[in-house]
Amino acid sequence: MSLTQNPNVNKWVDEMIALTKPEKVVWIDGSEEQLAALKAEAIATGEMIELNQEKLPGCLYHRTQPNDVARVEDRTFICTKKKEDAGPTNNWMDPQEMYAKLTPMYDGVMKGRTMYVIPYSMGPIGSPLAKVGVEVTDSIYVVLNMDIMTRMGKAAFENLGDTSDDFVRCLHSKADVDPEGRYIVQFPEDNAIWSINSAYGGNVLLGKKCFALRIASYQGKNEGWMAEHMLILGVKKPNGEVKYITAAFPSACGKTNLAMLIPPEGYKKDGYEVFTVGDDIAWMKQGEDGRLYAINPENGFFGVAPGTNAKSNYNALASTMKNTIFTNVAINNDDMTVWWEGLDKNPPENATEWKGAKVNGKEFTASGEKLAHPNSRFTAPAINCPCISPEFNNPAGVPISAIIFGGRRASTTPLVYQSFDWTHGTYIGSAVSSETTAAATGAVGVLRHDPMAMKPFIGYNVGDYWQHWLDMGAKLGENAPKIFNVNWFKKDEDGNFLWPGFGDNMRVLDWIIKRCEDEVDADETAIGYIPKKGDINVEGIEDEVTPEIMDKLLDVDKDLWTKEIAEMRRYYNDDIAANGGKIPAELYEVLDKIEANLAK
Ligand code: OXD
Ligand code: MN
């Protein structure tokens, strides 16, 4: 029975029922009893495996098909009436053509299955920044994950009310999980998302990438706010004041690690603390006081498991100790716990690897095989996180002082630099590039442009998106956050990382906050402001980060930067402008200015 009087929702759900023809329809109210029954059913059918309930209470395991382990960017579409509105960074098809193509695929696809109707809120219920979605799906895995990742259930309809039409219509069917028929399609002009033939999180938890980034970025442009692929963290200073920072990095570049950073001993002793507001997505809007406020629209973490351990990210690991769903990691059959590469140095001997084969984990990994898929994930409730911010559920969000961009760059990009102003910061965002990771299908380790770390997620024309950034800056004026770029991944000639990273990234955040408060000066270089010698605190890591190494970390190599700028000009011209991206003139002016600076 429907959980809402809203005729727009009921009409749409009826249409979806008529299309997919499920045997049964279950509205998800979010109650404990309903979720417990769904878990029991998923365990009984083998869709989920129950893990050790003493060591990992409430935790479940799920395995996806080997051909369905990551987002599929080549099968992801933005369908707008005009092709130019999707722009050069998206696959496009005319909406009518796409509906005509997909409708027969969905016709009767849920025959003999149950359709779950999931109401959910992205953002705290009652927040003026929150938005409602309704996802229909034939997957219990999706229901259980959406429960962790969103505010799911009847309460979401309270935000929508009885008459509003402003909800995102999300249709998902796993169908036959056929990679040839896999489509992840956004219809921004219809507030709709259609996903078929996948059961992998990023393709099917439609509140996340599809809604909170692709659809929301489009809504944000039209409604004057921003949806960004950014973590949100708070740094509490010894005087008790908390400064909030957002940061955008391409997928699997350590956003979750930075969001949950534990400060080095010296900082802890001085009274610094770091709080996590979000690890992946920020929705930001100007507040009444003129500043930019951010909420995390999500309610959980969909984190990459490999590499997560007590040292690299204690807080993420702690977040996974209860009520978590693990996908495509390895199982230790001796005690039904989980394992992944980088958790510790002891792969279980009696293991089940991510594809389901029973193996001797020690021999298996010794032969170079991976027990866990490199993009295996945990879906963990945010409230589990030991450093979750007290402001996590604040409907007003948190005021942002600084915005950081970054990527994996072995050379060229210094450890940290600050933009000259918001326009230059927008340019820096447009210039984010990174070596590819396992979060999307395709080759790993290739340098690709990923503007604002949003390339796979901008729901409209990238040129208009950059213009929207400039418009937001103009609106924010003096209140605009300062913009920085960081690179934790710079290497020496022998391929060794120069910077220890992880908790020591606090040292860079410290400098960033000091810059926001005008507490430190900086050196002006051709590309932006760089820390003055000695201004990055290396107390406790002096042996590792010697003054020579710090010089290398902060070096701005003229030749490399001249090449970088030439590549950016090529990227703007050939990849973007030549393919229908309208690049704002201000961004070309930045390019000209930096080029002139370098020639000096
Ligand atoms: C993610 C991603 O899952 O960016 O967050 O791929
Ligand atoms: Mn992400």
Side-chain angles (χ1 to χ4, degrees), residues 71 208-209 213 229 249-252 255 279-281 302 377 439 453 457:
R71 288 183 290 98
K208 192 174 177 63
K209 302 300 186 181
L213 289 176
H229 192 199
F249 299 84
S251 303
K255 282 216 307 296
D279 79 325
D280 196 40
I281 300 177
F302 184 60
R377 299 278 180 151
F457 309 122

Side-chain angles (χ1 to χ4, degrees), residues 235-239 241 263-264 266-274 506 510 513-514 519:
V235 177
K236 185 163 151 201
K237 303 195 302 177
N239 68 4
E241 203 189 343
Y267 280 90
K268 277 204 276 197
K269 247 195 352 251
D270 288 347
Y272 282 90
E273 266 180 85
V274 169
M506 177 68 211
D510 181 18
I513 290 169
K514 289 202 172 100
E519 270 184 34

Side-chain angles (χ1 to χ4, degrees), residues 290-586:
R291 301 186 65 189
L292 189 63
Y293 281 76
I295 61 162
N296 172 9
E298 301 190 284
N299 202 25
F301 309 121
F302 184 60
V304 177
T308 306
N309 59 52
K311 187 158 178 274
S312 68
N313 195 337
Y314 167 84
N315 288 316
L317 196 61
S319 306
T320 67
M321 290 299 152
K322 59 180 184 207
N323 301 328
T324 292
I325 297 173
F326 295 93
T327 304
N328 294 339
V329 300
I331 297 179
N332 179 345
N333 298 315
D334 285 338
D335 64 354
M336 288 308 283
T337 55
V338 286
W339 193 87
W340 49 76
E341 276 67 23
L343 175 65
D344 56 40
K345 295 208 164 67
N346 295 310
E349 278 181 32
N350 182 9
T352 302
E353 51 87 89
W354 71 272
K355 288 202 278 306
K358 290 216 157 54
V359 295
N360 178 323
K362 286 208 183 353
E363 287 170 10
F364 195 73
T365 47
S367 74
E369 297 276 355
K370 300 255 188 266
L371 275 180
H373 187 274
N375 192 37
S376 54
R377 299 278 180 151
F378 53 80
T379 319
I383 45 162
N384 284 0
C385 181
C387 62
I388 195 71
S389 164
E391 302 300 318
F392 176 70
N393 282 312
N394 185 341
V398 293
I400 301 304
S401 298
I403 293 175
I404 301 176
F405 292 112
R408 269 173 204 273
R409 296 297 305 265
S411 68
T412 314
T413 313
L415 176 64
V416 58
Y417 66 102
Q418 182 185 355
S419 70
F420 296 120
D421 53 29
W422 179 278
T423 303
H424 178 216
T426 302
Y427 165 82
I428 289 176
S430 82
V432 169
S433 54
S434 189
E435 291 143 26
T436 49
T437 67
T441 49
V444 168
V446 180
L447 194 70
R448 82 161 185 178
H449 287 277
D450 191 350
M452 278 79 173
M454 280 285 282
K455 178 177 180 292
F457 309 122
I458 304 166
Y460 58 106
N461 189 308
V462 61
D464 295 335
Y465 168 75
W466 290 335
Q467 184 61 51
H468 180 52
W469 263 81
L470 296 173
D471 294 345
M472 286 297 300
K475 203 157 79 171
L476 290 161
E478 287 291 291
N479 289 308
K482 305 275 186 285
I483 301 180
F484 298 80
N485 195 90
V486 301
N487 178 20
W488 316 135
F489 301 94
K490 206 168 183 189
K491 289 183 176 168
D492 66 14
E493 305 74 23
D494 301 324
N496 305 309
F497 287 114
L498 287 164
W499 178 247
F502 300 106
D504 288 309
N505 293 335
M506 177 68 211
R507 301 166 189 278
V508 175
L509 299 185
D510 181 18
W511 183 79
I512 286 173
I513 290 169
K514 289 202 172 100
R515 285 295 293 163
C516 292
E517 300 189 321
D518 274 334
E519 270 184 34
V520 280
D521 213 348
D523 286 331
E524 184 168 343
T525 71
I527 63 157
Y529 298 113
I530 301 271
K532 282 192 168 299
K533 262 196 197 324
D535 276 354
I536 299 281
N537 172 11
V538 289
E539 214 181 293
I541 53 166
E542 301 90 339
D543 293 348
E544 220 177 321
V545 186
T546 59
E548 296 72 45
I549 288 183
M550 186 53 83
D551 284 349
K552 283 190 191 167
L553 278 162
L554 295 178
D555 182 42
V556 178
D557 183 296
K558 266 199 177 191
D559 291 343
L560 288 177
W561 272 95
T562 305
K563 282 199 197 115
E564 182 87 359
I565 295 298
E567 166 54 22
M568 270 310 286
R569 204 177 280 285
R570 186 210 60 77
Y571 171 65
Y572 273 7
N573 291 341
D574 299 357
D575 292 2
I576 304 298
N579 292 303
K582 292 160 271 166
I583 299 176
E586 289 99 312

Side-chain angles (χ1 to χ4, degrees), residues 69-209:
V69 292
R71 288 183 290 98
V72 279
E73 292 176 12
D74 54 331
R75 309 197 70 98
T76 299
F77 286 77
I78 299 291
C79 294
T80 45
K81 286 193 197 87
K82 288 196 247 142
K83 183 169 186 205
E84 69 198 64
D85 290 341
T89 55
N90 288 306
N91 300 313
W92 174 86
M93 200 188 279
D94 174 79
Q96 291 320 317
E97 226 176 283
M98 185 59 95
Y99 284 127
K101 183 182 176 70
L102 295 185
T103 297
M105 292 168 67
Y106 282 105
D107 189 2
V109 75
M110 294 193 196
K111 268 189 194 150
R113 296 184 186 178
T114 300
M115 171 192 276
Y116 303 97
V117 183
I118 309 172
Y120 65 95
S121 168
M122 296 310 287
I125 304 241
S127 166
L129 281 96
K131 291 224 174 233
V132 174
V134 181
E135 176 162 351
V136 298
T137 177
D138 49 9
S139 159
I140 295 183
Y141 174 72
V142 169
V143 177
L144 298 179
N145 273 277
M146 289 292 279
D147 178 45
I148 299 172
M149 294 306 296
T150 73
R151 279 90 171 168
M152 181 185 87
K154 194 169 178 341
F157 282 134
E158 283 166 26
N159 258 26
L160 187 65
D162 282 348
T163 53
S164 172
D165 198 25
D166 184 14
F167 68 98
V168 179
R169 295 136 170 86
C170 308
L171 167 62
H172 166 249
S173 173
K174 56 191 173 191
D176 303 321
V177 199
D178 171 10
E180 297 305 316
R182 187 166 298 155
Y183 287 92
I184 317 298
V185 183
Q186 284 68 206
F187 301 94
E189 291 152 353
D190 298 345
N191 242 353
I193 303 162
W194 285 22
S195 159
I196 191 161
N197 275 308
S198 176
Y200 167 74
N203 299 326
V204 301
L205 308 179
L206 300 184
K208 192 174 177 63
K209 302 300 186 181

